[in-house]
Amino acid sequence: MLFNKKVLLFLIITFFFFSFKNKTIFFSVPSGFPKLVVPKENPITSEKIRLGKMLFFDKMLSRDSSISCASCHNPKYAFTDQLKKAKGIKDRTVSRNTPTLTNIAYNHSFLRDGVNPSLEAQVIVPIHEKNEFDFHILLVAERMKKNKKYVELSKKAFGEEPNPKVISNAIASYERTLISSNSRFDQYNFHGDSLALNASEIRGMKLFYNKLNCSSCHSGFNFSNGEIVNTGLYEKYNDVGKMRVTLDQSDNGKFKVPTLRNISITYPYMHDGNIKTLEGVIDHYIKGGEKNPNKDERIKAFNLSKLQKQDLIAFLKCLTDSSFIAR
Amino acid sequence: MKKIVIALCTIICINSSAQKNIVLRLNHYLNQSTFQYNQNFETDGIINKYTRLQYYLSGFELFHDGGQMTVLNNTYVLASGHITNYYLGNFPVSSLESISFDVGVDQIANSGNTTNYPASHPLGPKSPPMDWGWPSGYFFVVTNGFTDSNNDNNPDTRFELQALGDQMLSPVDQINITPVGSNDTIYIDLKVNAEKFLSGINLATAGIDHSSSTNNLIMCNNSYQMNVFETFNVTSSNDKGLTNNNFIHIDNTLSYAPTINYHFENSNKVNLKITDLNGKIHIIENNLQNEGSYFPLKEFPSGLYIVTIENGSETIYKKFNVVQ
């Protein structure tokens, strides 16, 4: 039994892959996690991951070479920037808070309002956004062509010179490796370590799953059911969320249910970074949010004692995966 | 015996419809005169001018050879106001009767990703971009320009209509054509009444609108509601100033990376050169088509530049500004 547990743990922590002749990589899915669905057009290979990682950290993707993807999605902060609102080139302010990329591969829709269909398609967004890289993907490819290393990696991974497809497919492949599955919650729940959580955290977990039903939205292994909902954060939203694309009033203020993994590090919270602390977030839910015609009916006021609040926060904090942050 | 008959029939059929190159010619007009950027025109009695006009066509159907229909799958056209000729492909057609198509991009392609195509493909990455970015999806019709909002006959209020969303797809019914042809090529001429895209839209209040708004839907639907596309008879129409309509129009949607739109009436290949004010050459590109949108794959330092395009007998040039 002990042996089995160790083997299992080893499998999970090392998150290893087999390299086959066709160079396609098969992840061993961490326990408790479903199979990762990768688009047929862009199978993961170790070469793509390598190239994608290099691009993700390369400031050359921004017009003035001042910032990279990692400037906003910093691995130290679970791929966020801990700013209220993100900052692009020339200190331009982005209208939203930088979301974590924790387990992003398991998302079915992308951006805070879920209007983007794939990781591949999302790559072009920050490159072209005026307030982020303010650049053009064809010119990024030209910059890559001037760098021998990129040309070599690009040919290895795709058999092609650097081009827009190489850029988007490589970065998406790298993003799919950002798997976090070793929080104390995972150790307790999936790895069979019953001592991983203390009494307060277990009480918090029960509140989360039972009494407060947070898990009606923040559900499953990744704490998100992927829905796009209005949580009544405001009576009137400055950022209309999904409505910016659908122009449908019933989508006003609707945002994607975010994962809560690594939540203790990814402050400040919500699409606009307007809530500084987890305590503040809980207060929002205790109050049942503001009045809003689109507010989801699962958001209802409730009572919570001081101790219960502490317990709930303690539980949220054990979703932090220090091995993920350290990479 | 039966097999031989079938084989013979097949051979006869194939021979009777030889493969031809099909070229769509979109003859863009503004109130009956040849399309020009920054040229005043009237829509619904109001004076406007275009700084950008681009749109997608897809879902082509060719009706030919006495009732046959050929569907052009995977044929996309990204049309621009200053470009007339679009190659549709090589098909077994000998005499063409009519054409139908959709303005916009079909749902499947519209849910795809520009980076899946090379830059030269109509659906590939463009500059200025023809896709929105946040959600995937192409701009079906883009009209940018100025409108006269205070009745002084001077269009000086900016509008930027860029239509998005599957629901914008606008079917254009069969248009009869009088094809002009040679041995191996058939030209399909259509007249594009470009001012009619804007009919029924209050441009003074339209502003910058990249969305699936009502205004954008009207603009797309005008394709068939207002007959933006019409049959066109080349021989009977002599109002097209065939000489001396050579021009360069700089699209500086991206201040740091302008796109050079150019057009020569003469179909000879052209050579393009970009120099700075000191005469230093930054780009030389030879043997380009006589009309097109050239996006320099090069980063220029801020400053003034001159683009010169010549076709052996005619030369045009234009100054442009780069702001990094």
Side-chain angles (χ1 to χ4, degrees):
Chain A
M1 189 60 211
L2 193 66
F3 168 76
N4 267 344
K5 229 190 252 174
K6 271 194 181 149
V7 170
L8 203 62
L9 207 64
F10 174 77
L11 285 175
I12 291 149
I13 298 175
T14 51
F15 178 57
F16 73 107
F17 14 78
F18 307 89
S19 247
F20 277 67
K21 255 200 227 111
N22 64 5
K23 291 196 222 145
T24 302
I25 287 175
F26 297 92
F27 296 108
S28 75
V29 176
S31 76
F33 278 46
K35 193 168 168 265
L36 189 64
V37 181
V38 176
K40 271 201 287 307
E41 310 78 53
N42 188 23
I44 299 193
T45 66
S46 49
E47 284 84 5
K48 287 186 196 173
I49 295 170
R50 197 159 148 233
L51 175 57
K53 182 170 183 180
M54 216 169 132
L55 285 167
F56 190 89
F57 288 89
D58 196 332
K59 294 183 173 171
M60 148 203 107
L61 268 71
S62 58
R63 178 144 68 87
D64 61 2
S65 296
S66 60
I67 57 169
S68 69
C69 306
S71 306
C72 297
H73 301 286
N74 187 336
K76 255 199 334 223
Y77 308 131
F79 295 86
T80 69
D81 49 17
Q82 294 189 340
L83 297 173
K84 184 172 178 343
K85 296 217 171 138
K87 262 203 163 51
I89 68 164
K90 304 181 183 187
D91 269 348
R92 293 176 190 163
T93 304
V94 181
S95 62
R96 289 181 177 170
N97 171 268
T98 306
T100 179
L101 301 183
T102 302
N103 297 335
I104 192 70
Y106 285 98
N107 282 244
H108 300 294
S109 69
F110 300 87
L111 299 184
R112 289 274 184 189
D113 40 18
V115 299
N116 193 280
S118 70
L119 279 176
E120 281 79 4
Q122 193 280 334
V123 168
I124 210 165
V125 178
I127 296 178
H128 286 184
E129 265 302 302
K130 183 145 180 86
N131 292 333
E132 296 184 40
F133 292 161
D134 192 16
F135 204 35
H136 198 285
I137 196 159
L138 290 171
L139 296 174
V140 175
E142 290 307 303
R143 284 187 182 178
M144 285 171 74
K145 284 184 197 162
K146 293 192 185 122
N147 180 329
K148 268 200 197 122
K149 183 95 199 155
Y150 272 128
V151 174
E152 185 192 314
L153 276 176
S154 181
K155 287 199 170 137
K156 260 199 196 149
F158 295 91
E160 294 173 29
E161 292 255 303
N163 63 36
K165 187 184 90 189
V166 166
I167 297 167
S168 61
N169 286 11
I171 292 180
S173 297
Y174 166 64
E175 290 175 304
R176 292 199 171 94
T177 68
L178 304 179
I179 304 283
S180 171
S181 63
N182 195 28
S183 65
R184 286 195 292 114
F185 165 82
D186 295 293
Q187 291 162 15
Y188 179 87
N189 224 21
F190 301 130
H191 313 172
D193 180 357
S194 56
L195 299 178
L197 299 189
N198 66 29
S200 162
E201 291 159 348
I202 291 171
R203 286 196 305 269
M205 179 163 76
K206 285 187 177 146
L207 283 169
F208 186 89
Y209 283 103
N210 303 328
K211 178 171 184 247
L212 305 180
N213 210 12
C214 306
S215 54
S216 61
C217 292
H218 299 285
S219 63
F221 73 99
N222 203 33
F223 297 87
S224 169
N225 59 6
E227 280 182 53
I228 319 289
V229 297
N230 179 315
T231 56
L233 197 56
Y234 304 109
E235 230 178 290
K236 190 175 172 299
Y237 279 76
N238 287 330
D239 181 338
V240 296
K242 192 180 172 189
M243 184 184 151
R244 77 171 167 169
V245 169
T246 62
L247 303 180
D248 186 343
Q249 268 302 336
S250 69
D251 286 330
N252 197 334
K254 287 196 178 164
F255 291 91
K256 185 169 72 175
V257 177
T259 180
L260 299 181
R261 287 182 172 274
N262 298 309
I263 193 73
S264 68
I265 319 171
T266 60
Y267 55 83
Y269 302 110
M270 305 306 191
H271 66 274
D272 55 0
N274 207 23
I275 301 185
K276 287 203 188 74
T277 61
L278 284 175
E279 193 144 55
V281 176
I282 311 278
D283 287 340
H284 153 71
Y285 284 112
I286 287 177
K287 200 177 153 199
E290 306 289 332
K291 271 204 205 96
N292 190 300
N294 293 335
K295 187 167 74 180
D296 192 280
E297 55 187 19
R298 286 163 290 191
I299 306 289
K300 282 193 209 102
F302 52 79
N303 290 318
L304 217 53
S305 72
K306 213 169 156 197
L307 181 71
Q308 285 175 316
K309 196 164 161 186
Q310 274 170 18
D311 290 342
L312 183 58
I313 292 173
F315 168 67
L316 291 174
K317 285 189 174 162
C318 62
L319 301 179
T320 304
D321 175 356
S322 47
S323 65
F324 183 70
I325 311 304
R327 43 203 266 161
Chain B
M1 185 59 200
K2 213 167 157 193
K3 274 185 189 160
I4 295 173
V5 173
I6 292 174
L8 276 175
C9 285
T10 319
I11 289 167
I12 291 163
C13 286
I14 289 173
N15 276 348
S16 70
S17 55
Q19 294 275 330
K20 295 251 178 150
N21 293 322
I22 310 282
V23 174
L24 178 64
R25 283 201 295 222
L26 298 169
N27 300 277
H28 292 94
Y29 278 80
L30 289 171
N31 304 136
Q32 313 303 333
S33 33
T34 308
F35 180 93
Q36 281 270 4
Y37 294 105
N38 290 316
Q39 168 188 292
N40 288 3
F41 62 87
E42 236 177 71
T43 308
D44 304 339
I46 292 178
I47 300 196
N48 312 301
K49 63 184 183 188
Y50 279 135
T51 53
R52 185 175 168 203
L53 169 66
Q54 288 188 281
Y55 53 91
Y56 278 106
L57 302 181
S58 65
F60 290 97
E61 291 172 344
L62 302 179
F63 301 85
H64 59 96
D65 301 301
Q68 294 185 53
M69 184 180 84
T70 298
V71 179
L72 314 194
N73 290 319
N74 298 318
T75 300
Y76 297 89
V77 161
L78 170 54
S80 298
H82 63 285
I83 301 179
T84 306
N85 292 273
Y86 302 89
Y87 178 69
L88 297 184
N90 191 266
F91 302 100
V93 166
S94 45
S95 89
L96 258 171
E97 288 126 28
S98 64
I99 184 172
S100 71
F101 51 85
D102 298 322
V103 174
V105 170
D106 57 272
Q107 198 172 350
I108 292 172
N110 200 35
S111 64
N113 183 354
T114 54
T115 63
N116 286 337
Y117 305 91
S120 56
H121 191 282
L123 300 177
K126 298 293 164 203
S127 181
M130 280 304 288
D131 61 310
W132 195 5
W134 307 333
S136 71
Y138 293 90
F139 293 121
F140 287 8
V141 179
V142 172
T143 61
N144 296 174
F146 293 88
T147 190
D148 172 23
S149 57
N150 57 358
N151 281 321
D152 63 355
N153 288 340
N154 183 22
D156 49 9
T157 299
R158 178 104 183 124
F159 66 90
E160 215 178 283
L161 293 171
Q162 314 202 168
L164 285 159
D166 290 332
Q167 68 272 35
M168 304 274 149
L169 195 73
S170 301
V172 174
D173 277 348
Q174 282 183 51
I175 300 177
N176 291 332
I177 48 185
T178 322
V180 182
S182 61
N183 283 343
D184 55 352
T185 306
I186 300 180
Y187 293 95
I188 302 175
D189 278 285
L190 294 180
K191 185 177 179 202
V192 185
N193 302 300
E195 78 281 3
K196 294 190 175 168
F197 273 122
L198 303 178
S199 188
I201 298 170
N202 183 353
L203 291 171
T205 57
I208 294 179
D209 182 359
H210 303 187
S211 77
S212 355
S213 66
T214 311
N215 276 346
N216 280 322
L217 185 63
I218 294 172
M219 174 172 72
C220 291
N221 289 350
N222 279 341
S223 309
Y224 62 91
Q225 299 270 3
M226 297 305 299
N227 295 325
V228 169
F229 300 90
E230 273 183 352
T231 184
F232 182 75
N233 195 330
V234 186
T235 43
S236 71
S237 152
N238 285 326
D239 55 348
K240 196 166 155 71
L242 275 177
T243 54
N244 222 357
N245 185 35
N246 303 338
F247 63 86
I248 299 175
H249 169 72
I250 307 292
D251 184 310
N252 45 21
T253 305
L254 304 181
S255 70
Y256 64 91
T259 295
I260 296 155
N261 295 329
Y262 66 93
H263 176 94
F264 278 80
E265 280 302 327
N266 186 310
S267 64
N268 290 348
K269 288 273 172 35
V270 303
N271 302 323
L272 177 151
K273 187 172 76 180
I274 296 177
T275 56
D276 58 28
L277 292 188
N278 299 322
K280 186 181 159 206
I281 296 176
H282 289 257
I283 279 186
I284 287 194
E285 198 84 52
N286 290 334
N287 277 320
L288 298 172
Q289 296 294 337
N290 67 313
E291 49 178 11
S293 293
Y294 180 77
F295 179 55
L297 290 177
K298 191 179 155 111
E299 293 174 50
F300 298 94
S302 295
L304 276 175
Y305 296 83
I306 299 166
V307 54
T308 310
I309 312 181
E310 53 85 14
N311 66 0
S313 55
E314 299 159 300
T315 303
I316 49 179
Y317 62 91
K318 188 114 186 169
K319 254 193 220 163
F320 64 92
N321 199 7
V322 170
V323 186
Q324 277 295 348

